[in-house]
Amino acid sequence: MESRPGNPSAMHPVVREYLLLGLRFDRIEEGFVDAYTGDPDLRRIVAQEPPPQPADLAARAEQLRADVQGSGLSAARQRFLDVHLRALACSARKFAGEDVRFIDEVNEYFDVPISLGNEDDYRGAHRALDDVLPGSGDLRERMRTYRSGEEIPPERLSECVDAFASALRDRVRTRFGLPDRERIDFEIVTDKPWSGFNYYLGDFRSRVAINADLKQHLSGLPHLIAHEAYPGHHTEHCHKEAGIVAQGEHEQTIFLVNTPQCLMAEGLADHALSAAVGPGWGAWAQEIYADLGLRFDGERAERVSGAIAGLLGVRQDAAILLHDQHRPHDEVAAFLQRWSLVSPERARQTLRFLTSPLWRAYISTYVEGYRLLSAWLDSRDASEPRSERFLRLLDEPLVPSQLR
């Protein structure tokens, strides 16, 4: 699996304008362009322009949506560009000061409808956790005790990261394929609102940052490395660069925050460990930790993880309470602690994420991305292996409304 991007001179005019528009957003909010591996001349053009005005960007996005319809591009490419331009128009309106309801913002950004979850479902998840967590008494305290016992010693974090990256890379190379020269450089960072982040650099290379401010846990690290690296974000970028980008779909050379791309990518990445290892990942991880001299109850971890999945919507509910119902921060923090069974420190870290101007809606990519892709992966014909559907996610520019 080895290819290079196609000739930029063959770029469709509408796609070129889409890339220029996306790059202009980074001049309003640095970090809006998560990754760009396309024609460097376009980045230079944008850098030399006067500072963009958000209202102008919104108008341009809507004009390009109309242009896409008569572009002659394939139906799949038109669909992809349309929902992404709709997302950019919403971002531009918000940058211009428009007040957009959080639920509507998520729908415009990520091509999915959302609503508050059902607390009865969360109670059911708590009952499942009560059955699997050791000890008795207050569930939140038992969860904290369990999590505390799972903390990876900070001085061991780097070698654990390397061990799981190596093991997962071998599996992914065999099952899904990787370019021969792909590479990831891992680094430990602090003072970030997330637990891990993939910076795709192009040419099949990534830098993956792991946040040491958040305690990393034995049961969480395999998920994190699969999510950010193999077969998650890094693998998806590599597949698309070697495949559809090389075939001339240049719109895939830019990855923009708060667009349907993000929901698809996060949903894919949250299913990455399942795709690479499947049921029994706990026992698999236990063997790797044993080689490092670390004790880990893989069977229990897998059962706890399954129960916690029932609490998936709590953080999205917190965002709706915070932004649409205007509940006080202390009340939302208490909501997170009650239902997610997290510490006050972890609840504050989540609130930091939910109040970031750029990232506040992003929580829905994990919640709705996981749900949507779960349903889609499970809805396949019995003769179609689950791995084949996952491979489609790696290779194709699918969008949420298409999967629904």
Side-chain angles (χ1 to χ4, degrees):
M1 178 188 174
E2 194 82 36
S3 186
R4 297 304 303 270
N7 182 0
S9 65
M11 190 183 304
H12 191 286
V14 169
V15 173
R16 183 178 187 275
E17 290 302 313
Y18 169 73
L19 295 176
L20 287 168
L21 178 66
L23 291 168
R24 289 180 185 122
F25 276 82
D26 215 45
R27 296 196 61 189
I28 294 177
E29 179 71 53
E30 186 177 359
F32 196 94
V33 176
D34 180 83
Y36 179 66
T37 59
D39 182 358
D41 285 342
L42 299 188
R43 194 184 282 278
R44 285 191 284 268
I45 288 170
V46 169
Q48 293 166 7
E49 294 175 341
Q53 298 302 309
D56 294 338
L57 297 184
R60 184 60 180 144
E62 294 295 354
Q63 179 58 56
L64 281 174
R65 287 188 75 188
D67 293 344
V68 164
Q69 303 310 311
S71 64
L73 293 167
S74 69
R77 295 180 71 184
Q78 288 189 39
R79 179 172 52 230
F80 178 91
L81 287 167
D82 181 67
V83 295
H84 285 77
L85 286 164
R86 182 180 68 176
L88 292 179
C90 182
S91 283
R93 295 198 307 271
K94 282 187 59 64
F95 284 135
E98 183 176 324
D99 184 20
V100 181
R101 195 170 66 127
F102 180 79
I103 286 177
D104 296 331
E105 180 183 355
V106 169
N107 192 30
E108 293 287 295
Y109 285 169
F110 304 123
D111 197 27
V112 291
I114 66 168
S115 60
L116 277 172
N118 188 333
E119 291 186 358
D120 285 342
D121 293 336
Y122 304 151
R123 292 186 182 93
H126 284 192
R127 288 192 294 271
L129 282 167
D130 186 51
D131 289 339
V132 67
L133 286 175
S136 60
D138 183 75
L139 190 60
R140 192 183 311 167
E141 288 303 318
R142 288 160 62 198
M143 176 62 84
R144 290 176 186 172
T145 300
Y146 176 75
R147 286 293 189 222
S148 178
E150 274 214 320
E151 290 177 7
I152 299 174
E155 67 276 9
R156 304 295 304 275
L157 182 56
S158 288
E159 64 178 312
C160 291
V161 167
D162 290 344
F164 279 102
S166 177
L168 284 166
R169 184 177 187 267
D170 289 344
R171 281 177 170 259
V172 169
R173 179 172 293 282
T174 299
R175 181 166 297 186
F176 300 113
L178 285 168
D180 291 339
R181 64 178 185 278
E182 64 81 26
R183 190 181 82 237
I184 300 178
D185 295 318
F186 290 91
E187 63 177 358
I188 308 300
V189 301
T190 58
D191 193 31
K192 299 296 182 183
W194 32 255
S195 59
F197 204 97
N198 174 284
Y199 298 91
Y200 189 66
L201 307 175
D203 199 27
F204 314 124
R205 295 177 299 115
S206 286
R207 177 167 58 89
V208 170
I210 307 295
N211 187 4
D213 280 348
L214 294 178
K215 294 275 195 293
Q216 299 293 343
H217 297 95
L218 295 168
S219 59
L221 190 66
H223 287 278
L224 182 61
I225 301 305
H227 182 110
E228 304 295 344
Y230 305 111
H233 294 323
H234 170 74
T235 303
E236 182 188 4
H237 280 300
C238 287
H239 269 247
K240 287 186 167 65
E241 182 173 344
I244 56 178
V245 171
Q247 294 162 15
E249 296 192 21
H250 299 281
E251 61 270 25
Q252 302 298 327
T253 62
I254 196 167
F255 196 96
L256 299 163
V257 169
N258 292 334
T259 65
Q261 270 178 313
C262 300
L263 184 137
M264 295 297 299
E266 299 299 352
L268 178 158
D270 276 347
H271 285 280
L273 187 62
S274 173
V277 182
W281 66 263
W284 169 81
Q286 182 173 323
E287 291 184 7
I288 293 174
Y289 281 125
D291 289 341
L292 298 172
L294 295 170
R295 295 184 61 185
F296 174 63
D297 186 339
E299 181 183 359
R300 187 189 298 275
E302 198 163 349
R303 293 172 63 199
V304 169
S305 178
I308 288 176
L311 303 175
L312 180 65
V314 172
R315 292 181 299 167
Q316 179 169 268
D317 287 358
I320 295 173
L321 295 175
L322 189 67
H323 298 303
D324 280 358
Q325 299 189 12
H326 309 292
R327 303 286 185 87
H329 281 212
D330 288 348
E331 182 181 335
V332 177
F335 176 87
L336 286 164
Q337 291 175 61
R338 177 187 179 187
W339 293 116
S340 289
L341 305 173
V342 296
S343 67
E345 294 76 18
R346 192 82 181 200
R348 284 195 295 271
Q349 185 77 3
T350 299
L351 277 177
R352 181 185 175 195
F353 191 83
L354 296 180
T355 54
S356 165
L358 182 61
W359 296 106
R360 74 173 207 167
Y362 204 84
I363 198 69
S364 293
T365 66
Y366 303 109
V367 178
E368 301 300 335
Y370 184 86
R371 288 171 174 168
L372 177 63
L373 268 60
S374 287
W376 185 74
L377 287 166
D378 290 341
S379 68
R380 69 196 186 281
D381 186 271
S383 63
E384 181 183 10
R386 187 181 176 91
S387 60
E388 288 299 317
R389 280 228 154 173
F390 190 84
L391 185 60
R392 287 188 61 192
L393 295 173
L394 292 173
D395 289 339
E396 298 179 29
L398 304 173
V399 298
S401 53
Q402 179 184 3
L403 267 62
R404 288 200 306 275

